[in-house]
Amino acid sequence: MIANYGYKDGSGDYYISIDTDRCIDCAAGRACLTACPKEMFEIITDDYDDEVACIKQANRRSLAYDCADCKPSGGYASLPCTTACTPGALKHSW
Amino acid sequence: MITAGIDMGSRSVKVVLLEQINVDSAPQLQYAVKKAHLMMPGELDADQAAERAFSEALAAAGVARDDVKSVFATGAGRKQVAFATEGVTEMTAGAKGAVYMYPNARTVVDVGAEEGRGIKTDAEGKAVDFAGNEKCAAGAGSFAEAMSRALQLTLAEFGEASLKSDRTIPMNAQCTVFAESEVVSLIHSSTPKEDIAKAVLDAVASRVCAMVRRVGIEGEVVLIGGMAHNPGFVKSLKGAMGVDAVSLPDLPEFVSALGCALIAAERQH
Ligand code: SF4
Ligand code: SF4
């Protein structure tokens, strides 16, 4: 399943999508958990009893602010989360 | 076998009691809804509300509690249903219920009192993609309800009024608080109620549509949740999504509870 966590507001679309099928047999050793300096990821058991990553509830309304340090306005080449997630499960909409 | 689905919404508790049936002449009919019961919890705690709604549904259906093999819960308050066997998310329940009612449904739009979401589903009713808006209440029913009160109309009158307008007034505010002040300005400038109602429902539809577009619009589109009762919103949604038809279940607020009861039944096998 593609799970989109986040929101759209007056300034833009702020969603992190997680392709949870790739999390089931995560080949990266759940690297998202430790890579994110804001510890925004957690592993949950989904409705089909699979263990997958999700964004913590507390961060889902504030992604633009929470990710700001990783995304300086001058631009960025890579993000800790997407780099660590070698299975390619993570995408940011902004 | 009887199973139950309980949808603990932010405003109401919906219970569906589902019976597995066996009709020789119609083998495709596997289930029948024994009872669909809605209760407004008022001041009750979520666990008390779930208990009361379930007891009322059982009594109304003449079913003993012990005859219910499994109870699944969904909705924002699903974890508070202490007697539930299991809980599933609104996406899983909504997709299951919608595809059971409309086998060709692949896009499910769920708009309740406090939340709206877009769900893409497969042919088995398994959610494959979903998006909501964690921040904005302007894409849900309570915002439309608050605006209808500002116009001194019931939500039903509000929906009907919007159908009489063909004017487009863009509402720019993304946040409910600013959107409310835009509505107040429209009222002060003597804009007809019909046009304001349409502007509000167009704004809700546009926010909902943004979530649906994130998952993609595919196949038959089904609208579930209480806002499906509002014809003005349905028209606005069709316009925003650019689709000619949106399927509307008779009891749209019960579709997630139905999905829950179906999952409970399937997991018994
Ligand atoms: S998001 Fe990436 S790193 Fe984290 S569990 Fe899923 S596949 Fe593994
Ligand atoms: S961009 Fe940075 S803060 Fe945001 S999820 Fe990725 S690692 Fe965490």
Side-chain angles (χ1 to χ4, degrees):
Chain A
M1 175 161 68
I2 311 288
N4 292 278
Y5 296 102
Y7 56 92
K8 174 182 163 81
D9 68 12
S11 64
D13 267 40
Y14 304 100
Y15 284 93
I16 295 179
S17 354
I18 307 181
D19 181 348
T20 58
D21 291 347
R22 298 184 192 224
C23 299
I24 296 169
D25 292 312
C26 174
R30 310 288 189 201
C32 55
L33 298 179
T34 47
C36 174
K38 297 282 168 71
E39 299 181 349
M40 281 163 49
F41 294 89
E42 64 182 343
I43 302 295
I44 53 159
T45 304
D46 73 6
D47 292 337
Y48 306 98
D49 280 342
D50 292 318
E51 303 219 323
V52 301
C54 78
I55 302 291
K56 289 178 185 169
Q57 192 76 44
N59 300 104
R60 292 180 195 172
R61 294 161 59 103
S62 52
L63 294 183
Y65 304 99
D66 293 337
C67 296
D69 290 348
C70 292
K71 299 185 173 196
S73 52
Y76 57 91
S78 64
L79 297 172
C81 52
T82 51
T83 305
C85 176
T86 48
L90 300 177
K91 281 202 182 81
H92 288 233
S93 68
W94 78 108
Chain B
M1 179 181 71
I2 298 172
T3 58
I6 302 186
D7 180 3
M8 298 291 293
S10 50
R11 287 283 184 81
S12 59
V13 181
K14 280 81 65 179
V15 181
V16 165
L17 298 176
L18 191 73
E19 185 169 29
Q20 189 155 24
I21 54 171
N22 202 344
V23 182
D24 285 343
S25 55
Q28 74 279 14
L29 290 178
Q30 282 185 285
Y31 300 103
V33 171
K34 261 190 106 58
K35 189 73 203 165
H37 177 69
L38 182 144
M39 192 197 82
M40 307 302 276
E43 301 298 307
L44 291 177
D45 291 341
D47 51 349
Q48 294 170 320
E51 179 58 43
R52 184 182 296 176
F54 187 48
S55 301
E56 287 176 359
L58 290 172
V63 170
R65 188 174 279 244
D66 287 349
D67 291 338
V68 180
K69 285 278 170 289
S70 174
V71 182
F72 271 40
T74 189
R78 65 183 179 275
K79 295 199 173 114
Q80 265 75 51
V81 187
F83 55 89
T85 322
E86 237 178 272
V88 293
T89 59
E90 296 91 317
M91 288 65 82
T92 298
K96 190 76 192 175
V99 170
Y100 180 75
M101 297 183 80
Y102 299 92
N104 295 323
R106 296 294 176 271
T107 306
V108 182
V109 186
D110 180 3
V111 189
E114 300 294 341
E115 275 182 280
R117 63 183 65 84
I119 309 162
K120 190 191 276 181
T121 168
D122 67 12
E124 272 71 54
K126 184 176 177 188
V128 292
D129 198 339
F130 74 84
N133 191 329
E134 303 279 349
K135 202 172 172 183
C136 170
S142 59
F143 171 63
E145 205 178 334
M147 297 302 100
S148 69
R149 276 200 299 273
L151 291 179
Q152 297 177 316
L153 297 174
T154 65
L155 192 53
E157 291 166 341
F158 191 72
E160 292 298 333
S162 85
L163 291 174
K164 295 185 186 131
S165 166
D166 49 19
R167 203 171 146 199
T168 299
I169 305 174
M171 288 187 59
N172 299 317
Q174 290 284 337
C175 149
T176 48
V177 178
F178 291 112
E180 279 183 47
S181 58
E182 275 191 62
V183 168
V184 170
S185 310
L186 289 171
I187 294 171
H188 287 164
S189 63
S190 304
T191 306
K193 284 183 177 183
E194 291 79 7
D195 293 342
I196 302 176
K198 179 167 180 293
V200 168
L201 292 174
D202 282 349
V204 176
S206 128
R207 283 150 183 73
V208 170
C209 185
M211 302 176 226
V212 182
R213 287 200 187 286
R214 178 148 292 283
V215 303
I217 300 167
E218 226 177 65
E220 185 175 351
V221 179
V222 179
L223 175 61
I224 65 172
M227 278 297 275
H229 284 297
N230 190 308
F233 174 69
V234 174
K235 187 178 175 202
S236 294
L237 185 69
K238 281 192 216 166
M241 289 176 67
V243 295
D244 296 328
V246 168
S247 300
L248 301 169
D250 284 343
L251 297 171
E253 62 276 52
F254 285 101
V255 175
S256 293
L258 169 68
C260 234
L262 285 163
I263 296 166
E266 285 178 359
R267 294 198 187 168
Q268 285 292 306
H269 298 303

